[in-house]
Amino acid sequence: MKTGRFIYNLNYPIYEKESCEIEVRALFKFDLKEKVFFESRKVHPSISPFLKSRLEIIYKASTFLELIELTTKDKIVASDFMVKYMELGIDDPHFKKRREYCKAIGLVIGGLACYTSPKIIFGITFYKGNWYFGKLTERSLYWKKHNKKPNSYSSSIGLSTAKVLVNIAGNGDTSKRLIDPCCGVGTVLLEGIWAGYDIIG
């Protein structure tokens, strides 16, 4: 298994599996084997229609108690924080148990918790016999609002396809300038701008 400082998880319908594989190859330079993977490259989940979340690993432990001990020892302090369980869909504990784990970690973090608009989200997860703790970044679903076409008869490509095309062209490197020579109503342009590219059409 590839190791790195981030854990990513994916979600895609079976009919978009190939698109997801192509995008992962463009962004991370490896062939996708599982919906969960470790990687050293930092990519924001919101640029992809398939990336759900990213955990920047701070601690790895073989037991949850050890994870608590590591967090307590380093005296982590944060203001307006939240602790969430990163669901990977493999060895995830039951919902009630996940909440208990998050509460236990939250109690050893110094500072005030915030459940409505936290400034920082800490994440915990269990995967293949190990516990992980770190900073959690979840994708924003705001881009789905772009799905409203300018007219009901508009035949522009779908948003997922547009985001994949942008990621294939740019490889996640937003310092690149992208050009869409046949931009139509601008679906690819919109997703390119949303991802942070300098893109023209």
Side-chain angles (χ1 to χ4, degrees), residues 11-84:
N11 186 39
Y12 54 81
I14 191 64
Y15 63 85
E16 289 191 310
K17 183 175 186 288
E18 289 184 352
S19 294
C20 181
E21 290 172 339
I22 293 169
E23 185 187 64
V24 166
R25 197 177 302 124
L27 291 174
F28 299 103
K29 313 299 182 191
F30 71 89
D31 293 327
L32 185 64
K33 298 289 190 297
E34 299 178 272
K35 288 187 175 182
V36 177
F37 60 93
F38 290 72
E39 180 55 50
S40 58
R41 189 171 186 192
K42 187 176 185 178
V43 172
H44 199 289
S46 293
I47 72 167
S48 165
F50 310 121
L51 288 171
K52 285 179 65 180
S53 52
R54 179 193 76 209
L55 184 72
E56 184 173 0
I57 301 168
I58 298 175
Y59 304 124
K60 174 184 175 182
S62 56
T63 66
F64 183 74
L65 181 60
E66 185 184 346
L67 201 67
I68 289 280
E69 290 171 351
L70 288 168
T71 310
T72 305
K73 180 182 176 183
D74 284 355
K75 297 180 181 178
I76 293 179
V77 178
S79 60
D80 299 332
F81 72 90
M82 175 188 278
V83 180
K84 293 184 77 173

Side-chain angles (χ1 to χ4, degrees), residues 86-128:
M86 181 185 188
E87 295 181 50
L88 302 180
I90 302 171
D91 299 317
D92 295 331
H94 186 270
F95 173 74
K96 185 177 179 182
K97 202 68 179 171
R98 295 200 301 265
R99 291 189 66 177
E100 290 175 5
Y101 288 136
C102 290
K103 182 178 179 181
I105 288 284
L107 288 173
V108 298
I109 296 174
L112 294 174
C114 176
Y115 302 104
T116 52
S117 53
K119 292 179 182 175
I120 183 170
I121 301 176
F122 291 108
I124 58 171
T125 195
F126 182 76
Y127 184 66
K128 292 190 175 180

Side-chain angles (χ1 to χ4, degrees), residues 40 49 136 153 155 158 175:
S40 58
L136 182 66
Y153 54 81
S155 59
S175 67

